[in-house]
Amino acid sequence: MNKLLCCALMFLDISIKWTSQETIPPKYLHYDPESSHPLMCDKCPPGTYLKQHCTTRWKTVCVPCPDHYYTDTWHTSDECLYCNPVCKELQYVKQECNRTHNRVCECEEGRYLELEFCLKHRSCPPGFGVVQAGTPERNTVCKRCPDGFFSNETSSKAPCRKHTNCSVLGLLVTQKGNATHDTVCSGNSESTKKCGIDVTLCEEAFFRFAVPTKFTPNWLSVLVDNLPGTKVNKESVERIKQQHSSQEQTFQLLKLWKHQNKDQDMVKKIIQDIDLCENSVQRHIGHINLTFEQLCSLMESFPGKKVGREDVERTMKACKSTERILKLLSLWRIKNGDQDTLKGLMHGLKHLKMYHFPKTVTQSLKKTIRFLRSFTMYRLYQKLFLEIIGNQVASVKINCL
Ligand SMILES: *[C@@H]1O[C@H](CO)[C@@H](O)[C@H](O)[C@H]1NC(C)=O
Ligand SMILES: *[C@@H]1O[C@H](CO)[C@@H](O)[C@H](O)[C@H]1NC(C)=O
Ligand SMILES: *[C@@H]1O[C@H](CO)[C@@H](O)[C@H](O)[C@H]1NC(C)=O
Ligand SMILES: *[C@@H]1O[C@H](CO)[C@@H](O)[C@H](O)[C@H]1NC(C)=O
Ligand SMILES: *[C@@H]1O[C@H](CO)[C@@H](O)[C@H](O)[C@H]1NC(C)=O
């Protein structure tokens, strides 16, 4: 029964559309009062009302609606409709009345119409985010934040936000996030808590020395045994051996060791010259003060996975101008599976669109690369070996250089 009715309605709908397209102006049937003959008169257009039916001699007479009245279809009525008197409380006039359109009222910003009343849009509580913002006709739609997202506010606008990804920022997780709280990260020490550079350029340069695996097959174990502080455990060493090329293994091991010995000064204590190196890097690039756009275009020129505008924005907030480039370089390294930062930087400088980029900056960056690859650094490597591991292993390394 319902199906039949539905089909009938559909048919009706289609036929009405079809007939109304027939002719303009549309006609209606009228019997001439004098002759009683049937006539096809023109209907009146929107904005008018019917004054006189047509006759055998005259066309239909339509005249414009008076002020505050309208008609919005072709019709045969002898009067216009009154524009809705006024908009209700908490509504405003979205469209004023004219001869062809009724007045349109709409709820004020932040409200929607429900049974004649303009009600406030719902606010989503903490743990819920907005998936469809409210409109003048519809209430807000909230949804519980899925895994990995949170909302810590009561809001009719805010969607769930992604938890902060600590590892991308080079930081450690101190409190895992849930639906109502963001993940809390922390740096490796008080001084780097905010900006959080996990491995500095100098440390990276030290950590990446070529490994004499040919002469010392159990190289990693020797290193583990001789490093001071909390030792890297055997499982981690095995994992590093399995997951990384021999070139990468030393870097991964020293990085992990540094993380485990959170006191950042541990590295400085055993390699006193690292301070000299850091100071030198600061001298080269510490004065550089780039704008947001400049930092973005610098990072855009790097190969591989990009450090995006969001990361740059966060870095601008968290880091002093003297640390920003270093932080972005370390983010790029982390995103790209610990690839050599200096290689990325060299590639970047080659492909950097020079437009609006200060030449002094590119020169300073090139000087920094040269410094970190210089003979001075090789001398520091030797010292590293003497100081960390003792003469026996160091002699192997020095012979290899
Ligand atoms: C009447 O209002 C409607 C909607 O605001 C507009 O599109 C139309 O042009 C107006 N007509 C006149 C004659 O002003
Ligand atoms: C953080 O980002 C890294 C790299 O994009 C990704 O591999 C990792 O799964 C992310 N961690 C979380 C908790 O989303
Ligand atoms: C979410 O984490 C916060 C602190 O991290 C905690 O106070 C709160 O109880 C947690 N909520 C749920 C539902 O687990
Ligand atoms: C919500 O979380 C963000 C990001 O962690 C934080 O900056 C903000 O202060 C928090 N707001 C409230 C009301 O707790
Ligand atoms: C860096 O430049 C900005 C404007 O471009 C300026 O406001 C800021 O003080 C500068 N910072 C330093 C440390 O020079």
Side-chain angles (χ1 to χ4, degrees), residues 201-226:
L201 281 182
C202 289
E203 286 166 348
E204 188 184 348
F206 278 112
F207 291 178
R208 276 194 196 282
F209 49 78
V211 185
T213 40
K214 235 194 313 188
F215 303 96
T216 321
N218 60 344
W219 170 245
L220 279 198
S221 312
V222 173
L223 203 53
V224 171
D225 289 345
N226 287 284

Side-chain angles (χ1 to χ4, degrees), residues 23-59:
T23 48
I24 290 277
K27 313 285 186 201
Y28 67 100
L29 182 63
H30 178 66
Y31 291 90
D32 187 42
E34 282 170 24
S35 61
S36 293
H37 282 155
L39 292 172
M40 291 309 289
C41 296
D42 286 355
K43 287 188 176 179
C44 285
T48 65
Y49 65 95
L50 187 135
K51 186 95 182 275
Q52 267 173 26
H53 296 289
C54 70
T55 64
T56 44
R57 282 180 299 155
W58 302 105
K59 285 185 140 192

Side-chain angles (χ1 to χ4, degrees), residues 175-176 178 180-181:
Q175 192 159 60
K176 206 168 172 310
N178 57 25
T180 54
H181 287 74

Side-chain angles (χ1 to χ4, degrees), residues 254-304:
L254 288 170
K255 194 175 110 171
L256 189 60
W257 167 75
K258 191 194 151 178
H259 273 295
Q260 289 194 354
N261 292 274
K262 278 188 192 155
D263 175 10
Q264 199 204 15
D265 290 340
M266 179 71 91
V267 183
K268 288 187 182 163
K269 255 178 231 144
I270 60 158
I271 325 161
Q272 266 136 36
D273 290 315
I274 211 141
D275 260 342
L276 296 176
C277 174
E278 305 282 15
N279 289 344
S280 200
V281 169
Q282 271 305 317
R283 257 204 319 283
H284 281 116
I285 58 177
H287 61 278
I288 298 175
N289 183 11
L290 295 178
T291 63
F292 174 73
E293 287 301 332
Q294 286 170 331
L295 287 172
C296 286
S297 60
L298 177 65
M299 294 325 289
E300 185 54 37
S301 68
F302 274 56

